[in-house]
Amino acid sequence: MTLNPRSWKQLPSDITAVHRELVTALREIRECSPRTQAKIAKDAHQEPTTLSNHLNGGRIPEETLLRDFYAVVEKDAAGLVPLPHALDTLLELREHAKKKHCECCTVGYPDATGPATQKQPASRVVTNPDLVRARRLRRRARRREFSVPQERIGVPVPLAEGDRHPADAAELTWPETAVVARYLADGQKHDAGFLLWQAGTSYSATDIVQAVGSCRAADLHDAADAILISAAERADRQAVLSITAALDNAGRHSDVTFMLTAAMRTAE
């Protein structure tokens, strides 16, 4: 029994049998909530488009997103209908669906419509680790999930007082580096996230190169990536190209690769 039966899109023909089984289970769970998908996604700390992708076979959900989605629907359905699948069952299906190997290997599960011996080729996500990293960090940036190395917590101080760390003082050229580090150390992730988002969406190409380099010098690599992700999502594609060129001119070739990958993901 479901509270909100729906007409679902046909699943892609190229997904594996176990992924298809996972998506079918997720759809059956979703139908147990009487609320809109947008409201479910909001309470599950994810974008509506992200949840839609999970429910239409576009991608396999991260464990945290799957748990949050399940918890929200479980709360919605409490006292109304029992959920048709246990959380442990979904997590097990997810683990099986995620079992992919290298580019020259195959996914170890047959296509849902093919013979048992037929194998699926590894997806482009598996063969492109930069794309995987960009997707993961893009989600973390939107949820304001950043990390700061424990040995560095408390090291940066406002530049007006002078940054005293001998190894990095000359490289911490972005004035907000110390502020971001302090926010992270104090658990103020949303405040740090807003600063990083603002830098990525509004700074000039030169200032973004400076901000990214300063964050990396302070070992705030997630923060630097968050700036690049925000910059890659700019509607002005010429600005994105200018930032990429500035990073390249500064010799930050790994940042160029990461930003281009993030920009490609945004354009999909």
Side-chain angles (χ1 to χ4, degrees):
M1 175 183 177
T2 61
L3 292 175
N4 190 15
R6 298 170 58 89
S7 297
W8 296 99
K9 293 180 181 178
Q10 185 174 357
L11 291 177
S13 60
D14 59 346
I15 67 172
T16 61
V18 70
H19 188 186
R20 186 179 298 271
E21 186 178 354
L22 172 62
V23 174
T24 300
L26 290 175
R27 287 177 170 184
E28 291 172 353
I29 294 291
R30 186 267 174 271
E31 290 180 340
C32 292
S33 172
R35 296 194 300 156
T36 65
Q37 206 150 289
K39 290 181 178 179
I40 295 173
K42 180 179 179 181
D43 287 351
H45 313 296
Q46 56 188 280
E47 296 294 322
T49 52
T50 300
L51 180 56
S52 178
N53 264 331
H54 297 161
L55 295 172
N56 288 300
R59 66 179 65 173
I60 299 169
E62 295 297 324
E63 181 177 337
T64 54
L65 296 182
L66 191 155
R67 287 181 179 275
D68 288 345
F69 164 73
Y70 190 92
V72 169
V73 177
E74 186 176 40
K75 183 177 179 180
D76 289 347
L80 300 175
V81 294
L83 296 188
H85 304 281
L87 176 59
D88 287 346
T89 300
L90 297 181
L91 292 174
E92 185 177 355
L93 285 173
R94 177 190 170 276
E95 283 302 310
H96 286 317
K98 294 285 285 186
K99 286 182 181 177
K100 299 180 177 71
H101 307 291
C102 64
E103 184 173 3
C104 60
C105 296
T106 53
V107 176
Y109 292 89
D111 180 78
T113 59
T117 56
Q118 182 179 339
K119 302 293 184 178
Q120 294 291 322
S123 72
R124 68 188 182 94
V125 173
V126 178
T127 61
N128 190 341
D130 284 327
L131 180 58
V132 175
R133 181 166 169 259
R135 287 179 174 179
R136 183 180 66 251
L137 290 171
R138 186 164 178 255
R139 287 193 296 269
R140 293 176 65 182
R142 285 181 170 178
R143 295 199 301 269
R144 305 295 190 258
E145 293 180 1
F146 306 100
S147 63
V148 55
Q150 293 299 312
E151 64 270 17
R152 292 297 185 90
I153 290 180
V155 170
V157 296
L159 295 190
E161 302 171 20
D163 191 287
R164 302 293 194 263
H165 197 277
D168 300 333
E171 298 183 56
L172 298 181
T173 53
W174 183 40
E176 304 295 345
T177 307
V179 179
V180 170
R182 185 177 296 107
Y183 279 152
L184 294 175
D186 293 343
Q188 297 174 261
K189 296 178 180 179
H190 277 77
D191 293 327
F194 178 76
L195 265 180
L196 299 168
W197 170 82
Q198 187 177 49
T201 56
S202 64
Y203 279 19
S204 67
T206 300
D207 289 341
I208 283 181
V209 172
Q210 185 180 60
V212 169
S214 187
C215 285
R216 296 220 185 277
D219 279 355
L220 301 174
H221 296 293
D222 280 4
D225 290 337
I227 294 173
L228 294 174
I229 290 168
S230 296
E233 293 181 335
R234 287 188 178 189
D236 184 350
R237 307 316 289 172
Q238 183 57 51
V240 175
L241 292 175
S242 297
I243 295 166
T244 304
L247 289 166
D248 187 60
N249 290 337
R252 309 202 67 88
H253 304 305
S254 61
D255 288 331
V256 170
T257 300
F258 180 78
M259 184 165 171
L260 287 176
T261 305
M264 289 170 57
R265 176 68 188 96
T266 300
E268 287 180 354

